[in-house]
Every structure is written in structure tokens, then in C-alpha cells.
Amino acid sequence: MAGILYLCATPIGNLEDMTPRAQRMLAEADIIAAEDTRHTLQLLNRFNIKGRLVRYDEHSKERQGAYLLDELLSGKNIALVSDAGFPGIADPGEQLARLAIDAGVQVVPVPGANAALCALIASGLPASPFFFSGGFLPKSKKKSRRPAAGRMAVSAGYDYFVRSAAQDRTGAAGSAGGLGGQTAGSSA
């Protein structure tokens, strides 16, 4: 019988946001697949969780994806985490989830902190309608942000974009300016 792939949300800034259920899933998993094992080890140590930690990131997803799928098919349970928030949002977690689903492996989300919803509720804007663009804006000013704006020009609500800490130092207006929108909040 195949194991289960647990997609575990991790805190987006405050370790107290780690849910008891996510802690339990990490403690019970046969393997913990992490985007950055050093970052995840700090989280595991904070909650006194011992486990077999393996790297699964953009650079290792092809090789590690096949390995992790084999482990799932052999009956092992895997907890997948990203550096912060939900795996599969702006990271390679979606590829592992797709591999598992295509192989008939059960995929279970383990809810927790969500940067998009935190930013939305702290913005003071109406919460509906709301759209998530699915990833990061271009990092450099040389790359136009206009294509992202064009893809969403049909939306009549609010769009949420992911920004790195380095981009955040340039100010939210630097990103929104190329999109023609206004900025209203951020989440930490």
C-alpha cells in the first residue's frame, strides 16, 4: 500500500504559527522533504522533532522527485515543507504533488499560515474578489512587469504578488508601479 504525501504549511515569520497538526505530521513522517534543509532543521529543532530530512528544491526536483515517489509507492509517508507558508506556492512542491497524484498516491494538505490571506486581511481592502497570481514578479527592472499586468487586466478584484525580502527593501510601489495598481499591505 502506498504512503501519503502531506503538504505541511510552515510559519511565515512567527514560529508560534506552526499548527499542532503540522507538528504531528512532521514528527510522524518517515521522510521530511524540505526546500532548504538548514532552514527546516531550525524549525524541527524548535519543536523537538527528529526525522529523516531530505532536500527537495528547484535544483533537485527531477532527481529527488523520482526518489520521493518511489518512497511513497513503497509505503513511506512524506511530509513536504517549504521555507515559509504552503509547499506548492511559488516553489517546486506542485511538481511532487502532481507526481504523487498521477501515481495514485493520496495527497493531504495540512493547513497553516498563509501569506496571501494575511496580507489581504491586513490591507483594509474588501476581501472579495481576490486573485493570486501564482508566483514572484520579475526580480530585475530590466524584465518588464507589464506582461503580468496584461494577464490580469481582466480581473476586477485584487491581485496578490509574492515579493522577496530584497524586493521589499525597494518598496511596494516599485513592484506595483509597473502593474498600474495600488498597494495596500504586506505580510511578514
Side-chain angles (χ1 to χ4, degrees):
M1 181 172 186
I4 298 172
L5 175 62
Y6 294 97
L7 305 177
C8 296
T10 57
I12 57 174
N14 187 332
L15 290 178
E16 292 177 3
D17 290 337
M18 187 71 174
T19 68
R21 181 175 174 216
Q23 290 177 47
R24 183 173 56 84
M25 293 296 100
L26 290 171
E28 292 176 1
D30 298 302
I31 299 171
I32 301 167
E35 188 176 11
D36 181 337
T37 54
R38 295 165 300 179
H39 184 81
T40 302
L41 187 57
Q42 292 174 359
L43 177 74
L44 298 177
N45 287 339
R46 166 65 169 78
F47 294 104
N48 222 7
I49 298 171
K50 308 292 182 213
R52 185 168 154 217
L53 190 59
V54 300
R55 180 177 159 197
Y56 180 78
D57 63 11
E58 192 64 38
H59 306 290
S60 67
K61 67 182 179 186
E62 299 300 326
R63 178 178 32 83
Q64 288 292 79
Y67 163 74
L68 293 170
L69 180 61
D70 285 345
E71 293 294 299
L72 285 163
L73 292 173
S74 75
K76 299 234 169 70
N77 292 327
I78 297 176
L80 176 64
V81 296
S82 66
D83 289 347
F86 280 93
I89 303 293
D91 75 17
E94 69 182 275
Q95 286 95 340
L96 185 57
R98 173 55 42 206
L99 283 173
I101 291 166
D102 289 348
V105 173
Q106 183 180 5
V107 176
V108 176
V110 180
N114 181 306
L117 294 179
C118 288
L120 178 63
I121 63 171
S123 72
L125 297 170
S128 180
F130 163 72
F131 305 95
F132 176 68
S133 70
F136 288 91
L137 288 172
K139 290 180 182 178
S140 77
K141 292 184 180 189
K142 290 180 183 177
K143 292 182 180 178
S144 172
R145 292 178 177 134
R146 296 247 178 240
R151 284 191 302 273
M152 288 172 294
V154 298
S155 69
Y158 301 101
D159 296 295
Y160 173 81
F161 296 94
V162 179
R163 294 167 44 86
S164 70
Q167 286 173 316
D168 204 45
R169 285 190 286 275
T170 66
S175 290
L179 297 172
Q182 82 180 83
T183 61
S186 65
S187 68

